[in-house]
Amino acid sequence: MKILVINGPNLARLDIRDSSIYGDLNYAELKSLIENAASTHGLEADVRQSDDEATIIGWLHSAADAKTPVIINPAAFTHYSYAIRDAAELLKAPLIEVHLSNPMAREEFRHTSVISGVAHGTIGGFGPNSYVLAIIAMKNLLSGAN
Ligand code: DQA
């Protein structure tokens, strides 16, 4: 089964972001990790990144129409994009929110997620492994295991 993995702004520049917060993988390596983990669990991940809110909203609309399950790291949009939240709310299949870091252990403005309320669940704080955990959770959700 196909799943869509959406990465928000600045995640394509993990090569120059703080590796003590976001881990050691660059974006290409993170993308491979996600694709391989999905394949290990019998899923086919379409992994995308955009710095543009409208592009992400368009992807969510298409996923809603196609009933595609979505894993999203909305990055900074997590904390303030009501437009992405409203688009995410349209999804028919499960939505899982992921973060490389643990936003709750960081600056106060990161403690709010406007996305969490429309997600099945949120996984954060495990570096790139957050995505692997999200894929396992998604696999279980899709197979009715939780
Ligand atoms: C992030 C956390 C956000 O607060 C931040 O703006 C990001 C990445 C994470 O994966 O830890 O860009 O979503």
Side-chain angles (χ1 to χ4, degrees), residues 4-7 70-80 84-85 88 91 94-101 103-104 110-126 130-131 133-135 137-138 141:
L4 178 60
V5 181
I6 298 176
N7 291 293
V70 176
I71 293 172
I72 189 167
N73 182 345
F77 287 143
T78 305
H79 312 301
Y80 66 91
I84 288 181
R85 180 204 163 98
L91 294 170
L95 171 69
I96 297 177
E97 177 186 352
V98 299
H99 299 283
L100 292 159
S101 66
M104 296 306 288
R110 298 185 201 276
H111 297 182
T112 298
S113 168
V114 300
I115 310 299
S116 293
V118 293
H120 187 93
T122 301
I123 297 168
F126 300 94
S130 293
Y131 289 83
L133 296 170
I135 284 163
M138 182 64 85
L141 273 179

Side-chain angles (χ1 to χ4, degrees), residues 6-19:
I6 298 176
N7 291 293
N10 302 305
L11 290 170
R13 296 314 314 270
L14 289 173
D15 55 327
I16 55 169
R17 294 188 82 179
D18 188 341
S19 60

Side-chain angles (χ1 to χ4, degrees), residues 5-13 27 31 47-52 55-56 59:
V5 181
I6 298 176
N7 291 293
N10 302 305
L11 290 170
R13 296 314 314 270
Y27 181 69
K31 188 170 184 282
V47 184
R48 304 180 192 176
Q49 189 279 330
S50 179
D51 296 330
D52 177 48
T55 300
I56 292 172
W59 289 342

